């Protein structure tokens, strides 16, 4: 399996996952719009997500994955490529604007509201500075079973675990999480064609859904704990699997944009102070 095959899938995908191990070995993941920076797979995170991605800066090995069935060819498998990354603070947004913005406008419709013209780019200047994460040296690529549309199979998830000091990525069918209490074992089952970790260790199940075709709502959920005996003993959860993706009312949409702008500005100021 070639690096070019992965880059071709990354080019066509609408959403993707970035997975790594934190400083304490805890599996971590986020979802983002997959972009190519002069042919190199990357993601470009707005500074509103600076805290979410902070531990990514120190990660030795990161997995870029495309597993959502809506980003895959019909009856196709997902792919994950693991390797080293380069994290760049593009604080003036010049590189993002020239090399990546056009791709994002095609894949992520909400960006069009903020940056689809020179006037909008000036008004929403805070949207252009980005934390760019490039997969600079890929170690290996693995095939993964697709995670099917959450509207039909809400419990297909990405399972991220620690394997030999680097993130291992699998696709798993996860038992009900929304009613699970801390410490409860949540059953895990391999999706056909995939596998599960065969040893005890830290793990995270992670999933998301988004409204189609506008991507106005893009909601994630996760649970972190210990994987053992084909179950995840949950210690921490975030979000819910049954999030309502109904269209936002105008007032909530405006408030959301204002909140995004404020968080981006704070992230930019913090990065500038950090130097």
């Amino acid at each position: 399996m070639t690096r070019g095959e992965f880059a071709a899938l990354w080019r066509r995908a609408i959403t993707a996952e970035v997975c790594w191990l934190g400083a304490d070995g805890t599996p971590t993941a986020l979802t983002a719009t997959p972009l190519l920076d002069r042919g190199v797979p990357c993601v470009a995170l707005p500074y509103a997500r600076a805290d979410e991605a902070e531990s990514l800066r120190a990660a030795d090995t990161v997995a870029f994955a495309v597993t959502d069935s809506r980003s895959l060819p019909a009856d196709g498998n997902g792919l994950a490529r693991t390797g080293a990354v380069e994290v760049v603070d593009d604080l003036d947004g010049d590189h993002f604007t020239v090399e990546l913005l056009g791709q994002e406008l095609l894949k992520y419709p909400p960006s069009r509201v903020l940056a689809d013209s020179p006037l909008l780019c000036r008004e929403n200047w805070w949207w252009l500075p980005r934390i760019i994460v490039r997969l600079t040296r890929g170690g290996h690529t693995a095939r993964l079973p697709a995670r099917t549309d959450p509207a039909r199979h809400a419990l297909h998830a990405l399972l991220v675990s620690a394997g030999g000091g680097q993130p291992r990525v699998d696709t798993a069918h996860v038992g009900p999480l929304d009613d699970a209490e801390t410490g409860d074992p949540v059953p895990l089952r391999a999706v056909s064609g995939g596998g599960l970790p065969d040893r005890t260790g830290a793990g995270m199940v992670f999933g998301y859904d988004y409204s189609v075709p506008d991507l106005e709502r893009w909601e994630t959920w996760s649970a972190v704990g210990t994987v053992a005996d084909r179950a995840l003993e949950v210690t921490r959860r975030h979000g819910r699997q049954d999030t309502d993706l109904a269209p936002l009312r105008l007032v909530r949409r405006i408030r959301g944009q204002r909140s995004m702008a404020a968080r981006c500005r704070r992230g930019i100021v913090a990065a500038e102070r950090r130097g």
Side-chain angles (χ1 to χ4, degrees):
M1 192 180 307
T2 67
R3 183 170 183 171
E5 183 180 358
F6 178 79
L9 178 58
W10 197 259
R11 179 182 291 106
R12 64 162 287 162
I14 300 300
T15 64
E17 304 87 50
V18 180
C19 313
W20 70 99
L21 303 181
D24 61 354
T26 301
T28 307
L30 59 80
T31 185
T33 302
L35 307 172
L36 287 174
D37 189 358
R38 300 174 184 175
V40 177
C42 75
V43 296
L45 306 173
Y47 275 87
R49 304 183 71 180
D51 290 344
E52 186 181 357
E54 183 58 33
S55 66
L56 182 56
R57 296 176 182 274
D60 293 328
T61 308
V62 176
F64 277 21
V66 178
T67 59
D68 187 279
S69 61
R70 293 164 289 184
S71 282
L72 299 173
D75 300 323
N77 288 315
L79 292 177
R81 187 164 183 86
T82 304
V85 295
E86 175 186 27
V87 182
V88 176
D89 286 286
D90 182 23
L91 281 168
D92 55 19
D94 287 349
H95 185 82
F96 171 74
T97 302
V98 172
E99 300 292 342
L100 303 173
L101 176 58
Q103 297 176 55
E104 182 172 283
L105 293 175
L106 290 173
K107 293 187 175 188
Y108 185 58
S111 197
R112 300 170 196 166
V113 178
L114 302 172
D116 200 17
S117 71
L119 177 60
L120 286 172
C121 287
R122 286 195 297 272
E123 290 179 348
N124 303 306
W125 61 269
W126 45 268
W127 185 243
L128 302 179
R130 296 298 177 101
I131 303 166
I132 300 175
V133 185
R134 303 187 186 101
L135 187 64
T136 55
R137 297 188 304 280
H140 66 276
T141 303
R143 296 193 185 278
L144 296 173
R147 294 184 304 108
T148 52
D149 187 341
R152 293 180 287 113
H153 298 281
L155 299 185
H156 277 188
L158 204 66
L159 171 61
V160 186
S161 56
Q166 62 182 26
R168 167 176 169 162
V169 181
D170 297 283
T171 305
H173 184 95
V174 184
L177 270 171
D178 287 342
D179 296 326
E181 301 291 337
T182 299
D184 284 351
V186 177
L188 301 173
R189 178 164 49 86
V191 177
S192 178
L196 291 178
D198 56 6
R199 63 180 182 177
T200 300
M204 173 189 192
V205 291
F206 174 76
Y208 57 89
D209 195 9
Y210 51 88
S211 55
V212 179
D214 55 39
L215 274 80
E216 181 183 42
R217 305 289 306 277
W218 190 347
E219 305 290 345
T220 65
W221 58 266
S222 63
V224 177
T226 301
V227 177
D229 298 325
R230 295 187 174 272
L232 175 73
E233 186 175 303
V234 178
T235 59
R236 187 173 72 252
R237 287 176 47 200
H238 171 77
R240 293 183 64 86
Q241 296 163 301
D242 60 355
T243 302
D244 180 12
L245 296 181
L248 295 175
R249 294 182 179 274
L250 179 60
V251 172
R252 188 175 174 188
R253 186 180 296 120
I254 292 172
R255 287 175 178 170
Q257 184 170 321
R258 288 176 176 171
S259 174
M260 173 71 76
R263 287 182 286 125
C264 282
R265 292 188 183 103
R266 287 196 298 270
I268 293 166
V269 169
E272 289 174 338
R273 287 175 176 169
R274 188 169 58 241

